[in-house]
Amino acid sequence: MKHLYCLYINGKQAYTLYNAVQRMGESTATTNHHHHHQHGSQVFDVSVNVPPHFCSKVVDDDGRPQRTGTVWTASAHIITAVIGSGVLSLAWAIAQLGWIAGPTVMLLFSFVIYYTSTLLADCYRSGDPLFGKRNYTYMDAVRSNLGGSKVKFCGTIQYLNLFGVAIGYTIAASISMMAIKRSNCFHVSGEKDPCHMSSNPYMIAFGITQILFSQIPDFDQIWWLSIVAAVMSFTYSSIGLGLGIAKVAATGTFKGSLTGISIGTVTETQKIWRSFQALGDIAFAYSFSIILIEIQDTIKSPPAEAKTMKKATLISTVVTTAFYMLCGCMGYAAFGDLAPGNLLTGFGFYNPFWLLDIANAAIVIHLVGAYQVYCQPLFAFVEKHAAARWPESGFITKEIGIRIPCLQQPYNLNMFRLVWRSVFVVLTTVVSMLLPFFNDVVGILGAFGFWPLTVYFPVEMYIAQKRIARWSTRWICLQMLSFACLAISIAAAAGSVAGVVLDLKVYRPFKTSY
């Protein structure tokens, strides 16, 4: 297939195959004919279907605009999705598990995520890895390989999880914006004013920003936002790491113990729940399989998208693991059993206030990009189904070209996209204001999403694609991996439920202040 050439005749595209491919076809046909006379076998016809737009410089083999993604843009998308503000809670997670179990669990999860992601990358195309039918979304991959009721189950889990992530990011961004305001307030008042404030205005401001960015039509057009967000994630992670190292250097000791937070500081029951939550925190900190297929759909070929995606997955997993280990371990070394849920807040609001302001601003910018990386697949899913259901509707399908200064091409405004995406952002913002402790609820959604989306479906699709025999050694190993991750998901969900129960005791809708 790599010897495919394109000829342009009278403005139309005509296609031919290199002589070597033709000879191969003739040879195969002759051989089959020979076998037919010898063994009564069926004669196989050799034919190659070349899409009419295969050679165009502006479209891909499926007729869509040519994809331009590379291993670096894919890595940026993954890092943007993975290194969320959750990296700041890893010191707390390691504090619950200790110096032995904490780093070990982190390494184990990095391996599991990388392995299952390579299985998933092979499911982007059905059949041939370079020319097979594309699966544009996670649901399409499940439909092609598994089908049936599993498709609806996958879609429900995936899109509910994306909705939950959008709410969690809105809450996290508002907390960081308030941290900047409060640190400046402390500095101006000489630490005398407690500086209590409501999170609602900051959630609204974040929502308005997301309404604007959500009008970017396609996933592959937000590559620049992902790169900016990835740089921001390194910025605040580095500040957290640097402050942790500085605190260890100042005290001259590495705090913490081999088994984690001691009984006495917490009760035995709390130790169990916290350990479960810590497993969940680490598992979900790595979870990006939920949008892996959508990221892969932005990558150009050749080489095969799966090959590029596996490189991007390896790069991003190594980078994130290194950062996670450094931030988590240095945070635990600095604070020991008292490691805070958010590493940056553990250093106080005002010392050094300007450095913490930079870190919190970087978190907000990162979350703006991460919100889009997670929500674009959901936006595309709804818009695709609406267009299929009402193809004649101008409101849904009509594109209005608008000239914008500094842009080479006009921006295509779609009224349905404008209304639907704006309503979605408003809804996530209102829910965030109504349930500001929603991080725990997102933890539950994440717990239910981790096993099916990160482990179960990739494993089952791989088994179906490679036709792995039931009860073979490989089949048993894959099922054991799936069962172990299911047990972790159930434990993490139990820990998150316990957190929600505690939050409900002091629940006041729309009245949360910090």
Side-chain angles (χ1 to χ4, degrees):
M1 292 297 275
K2 65 183 176 182
H3 298 297
L4 189 66
Y5 287 90
C6 183
L7 302 176
Y8 291 87
I9 303 173
N10 296 328
K12 294 184 179 179
Q13 296 176 347
Y15 301 92
T16 186
L17 292 175
Y18 191 59
N19 287 335
V21 179
Q22 288 182 323
R23 284 198 299 271
M24 181 186 74
E26 291 164 3
S27 172
T28 306
T30 304
T31 304
N32 284 332
H33 183 69
H34 175 69
H35 281 300
H36 173 68
H37 286 292
Q38 277 195 327
H39 307 292
S41 302
Q42 182 183 355
V43 178
F44 289 97
D45 213 6
V46 177
S47 62
V48 180
N49 294 321
V50 181
H53 39 258
F54 185 85
C55 301
S56 172
K57 292 182 179 180
V58 293
V59 294
D60 274 330
D61 58 339
D62 58 348
R64 296 195 176 188
Q66 189 176 43
R67 292 156 178 85
T68 57
T70 65
V71 65
W72 300 113
T73 60
S75 298
H77 282 316
I78 295 171
I79 291 170
T80 300
V82 176
I83 304 186
S85 54
V87 67
L88 302 172
S89 69
L90 289 175
W92 180 89
I94 292 181
Q96 313 314 307
L97 300 171
W99 280 117
I100 297 175
T104 303
V105 167
M106 211 175 280
L107 287 173
L108 282 173
F109 272 112
S110 66
F111 172 75
V112 169
I113 294 292
Y114 170 67
Y115 178 67
T116 57
S117 295
T118 59
L119 301 185
L120 191 57
D122 285 329
C123 299
Y124 173 65
R125 285 187 185 265
S126 300
D128 188 272
L130 193 57
F131 297 99
K133 174 183 168 292
R134 294 176 187 263
N135 296 309
Y136 300 111
T137 65
Y138 198 114
M139 273 182 71
D140 287 344
V142 174
R143 185 180 290 109
S144 297
N145 291 282
L146 301 176
S149 59
K150 290 180 180 178
V151 179
K152 290 183 179 178
F153 173 63
C154 167
T156 303
I157 293 289
Q158 184 186 15
Y159 295 122
L160 188 63
N161 213 19
L162 290 174
F163 181 71
V165 166
I167 294 166
Y169 280 177
T170 303
I171 296 168
S174 70
I175 290 171
S176 287
M177 284 189 273
M178 281 193 299
I180 296 172
K181 181 73 174 174
R182 287 186 72 185
S183 69
N184 292 335
C185 175
F186 273 124
H187 185 67
V188 170
S189 68
E191 305 170 21
K192 295 173 183 177
D193 188 345
C195 299
H196 291 302
M197 60 190 69
S198 171
S199 60
N200 291 346
Y202 301 97
M203 290 184 185
I204 293 169
F206 185 78
I208 291 170
T209 305
Q210 290 304 337
I211 287 175
L212 294 174
F213 279 111
S214 66
Q215 299 312 313
I216 298 173
D218 300 312
F219 207 158
D220 59 344
Q221 292 179 19
I222 62 169
W223 61 267
W224 58 272
L225 188 60
S226 277
I227 290 174
V228 170
V231 170
M232 292 298 107
S233 68
F234 284 124
T235 301
Y236 67 74
S237 299
S238 300
I239 291 172
L241 172 62
L243 291 172
I245 293 171
K247 191 169 178 67
V248 170
T251 58
T253 57
F254 272 74
K255 295 184 180 179
S257 64
L258 296 179
T259 56
I261 194 165
S262 54
I263 305 296
T265 307
V266 293
T267 64
E268 287 186 21
T269 306
Q270 284 178 319
K271 169 85 173 172
I272 293 170
W273 289 129
R274 284 176 168 225
S275 297
F276 285 166
Q277 275 189 300
L279 286 174
D281 279 1
I282 294 170
F284 311 138
Y286 276 107
S287 186
F288 62 87
S289 301
I290 189 172
I291 53 169
L292 186 139
I293 295 287
E294 284 83 352
I295 291 173
Q296 195 166 341
D297 192 43
T298 67
I299 295 173
K300 64 183 177 183
S301 64
E305 296 89 353
K307 185 177 180 181
T308 305
M309 197 65 197
K310 286 174 184 177
K311 284 183 184 176
T313 303
L314 180 61
I315 291 168
S316 51
T317 305
V318 169
V319 169
T320 52
T321 302
F323 252 79
Y324 281 2
M325 293 290 276
L326 285 169
C327 292
C329 292
M330 290 312 301
Y332 183 39
F335 292 101
D337 285 355
L338 301 176
N342 183 332
L343 185 61
L344 291 176
T345 62
F347 298 104
F349 281 109
Y350 43 83
N351 187 24
F353 82 99
W354 58 270
L355 189 59
L356 290 170
D357 283 356
I358 293 172
N360 281 303
I363 290 176
V364 174
I365 296 170
H366 171 253
L367 289 176
V368 168
Y371 186 104
Q372 289 302 317
V373 168
Y374 272 100
C375 291
Q376 284 283 343
L378 178 55
F379 294 156
F381 171 76
V382 171
E383 287 156 17
K384 174 186 169 187
H385 279 264
R389 183 81 181 269
W390 298 285
E392 305 299 322
S393 171
F395 176 73
I396 292 174
T397 59
K398 187 178 180 182
E399 301 274 349
I400 303 169
I402 298 176
R403 286 278 175 191
I404 298 177
C406 303
L407 288 182
Q408 293 180 346
Q409 296 178 334
Y411 171 76
N412 292 322
L413 176 67
N414 176 278
M415 292 308 296
F416 177 70
R417 182 170 64 232
L418 175 66
V419 173
W420 140 243
R421 295 189 181 193
S422 299
V423 168
F424 174 86
V425 174
V426 169
L427 183 60
T428 58
T429 306
V430 170
V431 174
S432 302
M433 292 161 63
L434 182 63
L435 302 173
F437 59 86
F438 209 79
N439 279 324
D440 290 317
V441 180
V442 170
I444 295 173
L445 290 172
F448 288 121
F450 169 70
W451 174 70
L453 297 173
T454 304
V455 183
Y456 173 74
F457 282 121
V459 165
E460 291 300 313
M461 286 192 285
Y462 179 76
I463 289 172
Q465 201 176 51
K466 303 297 181 184
R467 295 181 173 84
I468 297 171
R470 187 181 286 263
W471 302 114
S472 64
T473 304
R474 179 180 283 188
W475 186 90
I476 291 171
C477 290
L478 288 169
Q479 295 298 342
M480 286 173 64
L481 171 67
S482 182
F483 180 78
C485 291
L486 172 61
I488 290 169
S489 272
I490 292 170
S496 295
V497 168
V500 171
V501 170
L502 289 173
D503 283 331
L504 283 171
K505 292 179 180 177
V506 291
Y507 173 58
R508 289 185 304 157
F510 291 114
K511 291 186 179 179
T512 299
S513 62
Y514 294 87

